[in-house]
Structure formats: structure tokens, C-alpha cells
Amino acid sequence: MADGSGLPAVKSRYSEADDDRSVSALYLAEVFSEMNAGAGFLDRLSLSEVREVRRVASTMMARPGESIFMQGAPHRGIYLIESGRVRTYYAGPSGKEITLAYWTPGHFVGGPEVFGGGTHMWSATAVEPATLTRLPGPAILHLAKTIPAFAICLIDGLVAKGKCYSALVQMLGTRSVAERLAQLLLILAEADSKVDGERLAVQRRITHEQIASIVGSTRQWVTMTLAKFQKQRLIAIERDSIVILNAGALRQFE
């Protein structure tokens, strides 16, 4: 979609594409309610300000598994997700990866060096076909200096990112792996609740390997622990979903 200037009209596109905006970002956190904060990155801007942002932007298409930027590579700017999902992750010296978050339309990736310079502390990869808008660092700096509302958007976005990664660090530092798995199941069920009606359930779109990368374990451990949860009647593993049988016990799991 484009406005009269021939530029993508992001604000009106999002207002007509509620399904895209309703898909929440995903990461380890104590609560689900604020998980999608920061999704309306440019919502504060007027149409003329959006056009000014788009004037210095370029569009990038990414296939599933395609890298958007790599850990250790120079910062070049940020990428606003228009469609699809993007995974950010950190790889340790041993090569083991931990998923930091899955980001959805309306969020941006590429911080914290939004003005460019320095190197990326983690990597980003498209999980599914994705369309992104790239804003180069020097252009971001110019926009922040000349459009006050854009500077506030940038601050709001960085605040949301800071909260996300602070929540992740707190979970990794204060919860056991089993506790993190229990919390992740609740988060996933909350994200999928509209899909499954009254039942609190995790739709089987996420693999055990992906779960392991989020909680910081192995696929084998996740499979074994889910089986243990089922034996304890905390969950029921079905063909298409994992049904939460005792959400209270999962929330208090130790």
C-alpha cells in the first residue's frame, strides 16, 4: 500500500492489518501484558512525518532463515518489521545459542546503536517471509534532530527494548530452567488464548528445539520435562497443542 506520495503508508496499513499488529512479540518475562509494548514504533508521527521518515528508508525482503544482521558485524542502522517475524539471538563462544526474543510487525530490530557505529551484540534472522524497512544510522540521527516526535518514538522504542532484555536477564538469573519452561508455557498459552477459545493451550507451532533456545536448555531436556509436567497433571500433550491443566501450579512452580 502507498500514500499519495508513492511511499508506503505505514500508519494506515497497520490500522487495516489488525491481525499483524495483534501477534505479540515473545520473550521470557514475568508478565505477558507488556510484552508487545513498543509495537507502534511510528504511531506517534503525523502522516507528513511518516513520509519524511520513508524518504530516507529502503525496503528489505527476507526469506525464512535469512540473516538480517550478524553478531559482531558493524551497526548500520535499524530495521522496522512490516510483516513476518524476526528472531534475535546470542551465540556464545561454544556456539550455543540463546533466543533473546521473537519480534513481530511494528517492532524494530538493530539497536542499541541506533545511530550506527560499534558492532552488533547479537544476531537477527527472519523466522518466516518478512518485509522490513531499513533506516540507516546517519538518517536516524538527522531525523531525531529535526523531528521531535521521531526522537520521542526512538526513545520509547529503546525503553521497550530495555524492559524486554531486563526481564530476560531477571528470568535467567533468578529462575531455574524448569521454572523458565513453566513460565514460557504460560506466556505461549496467553499468546494463543484467542485461537483455542476457552482452553488455555499452546498451539504446536513452536518446536521443542525453539523452546529450548528460549529457556536456555536442550531439545532433549525440554521433551523430558514436558513429559514430567504431563505426568504431574500440569499439562496434557495433544497432537496439535499443549493444554494447560493447572495454570496456578505452573505459576508457582519451583
Side-chain angles (χ1 to χ4, degrees), residues 8 10 13-14 20 54 80-84 105-107 131-133:
V10 171
R13 172 189 182 278
Y14 281 158
D20 281 351
R54 293 294 170 178
L80 175 62
I81 304 171
E82 306 281 7
S83 65
H107 292 280
T131 303
L132 304 102
T133 295

Side-chain angles (χ1 to χ4, degrees), residues 7-204:
L7 299 170
V10 171
K11 293 183 74 176
S12 59
R13 172 189 182 278
Y14 281 158
S15 64
E16 296 173 5
D18 293 337
D19 287 346
D20 281 351
R21 290 295 292 274
S22 65
V23 177
S24 177
L26 175 66
Y27 53 88
L28 272 178
E30 295 287 351
V31 295
F32 178 80
S33 58
E34 296 184 356
M35 192 157 292
N36 217 33
F41 178 51
L42 297 182
D43 285 358
R44 187 186 294 270
L45 301 185
S46 67
L47 183 57
S48 62
E49 290 168 336
V50 170
R51 288 174 177 169
E52 186 63 22
V53 172
R54 293 294 170 178
R55 188 180 64 80
V56 298
S58 59
T59 299
M60 172 183 175
M61 311 296 291
R63 298 182 301 274
E66 185 174 351
S67 173
I68 297 166
F69 56 82
M70 291 296 295
Q71 181 177 324
H75 272 279
R76 304 296 188 192
I78 63 173
Y79 301 82
L80 175 62
I81 304 171
E82 306 281 7
S83 65
R85 288 186 303 147
V86 173
R87 171 185 176 238
T88 53
Y89 62 95
Y90 174 79
S94 66
K96 181 180 179 180
E97 296 178 1
I98 184 166
T99 295
L100 304 177
Y102 285 92
W103 298 109
T104 48
H107 292 280
F108 72 84
V109 293
E113 299 280 1
V114 294
F115 299 137
T119 57
H120 285 287
M121 300 174 65
W122 48 76
S123 301
T125 301
V127 178
E128 57 194 42
T131 303
L132 304 102
T133 295
R134 179 179 177 271
L135 285 169
I140 294 172
L141 180 59
H142 173 74
L143 291 168
K145 289 180 176 180
T146 57
I147 304 177
F150 179 82
I152 295 175
C153 288
L154 201 60
I155 293 170
D156 286 344
L158 290 172
V159 167
K161 290 288 188 290
K163 288 182 176 180
C164 158
Y165 294 123
S166 293
L168 175 61
V169 169
Q170 289 166 1
M171 288 291 294
L172 292 174
T174 63
R175 299 284 197 103
S176 68
V177 183
E179 288 175 305
R180 297 199 292 268
L181 176 58
Q183 179 66 7
L184 180 61
L185 290 175
L186 292 168
I187 289 171
L188 290 169
E190 183 73 20
D192 281 341
S193 60
K194 292 181 181 178
V195 177
D196 207 48
E198 297 300 320
R199 298 201 313 170
L200 195 59
V202 178
Q203 303 302 308
R204 298 297 290 273

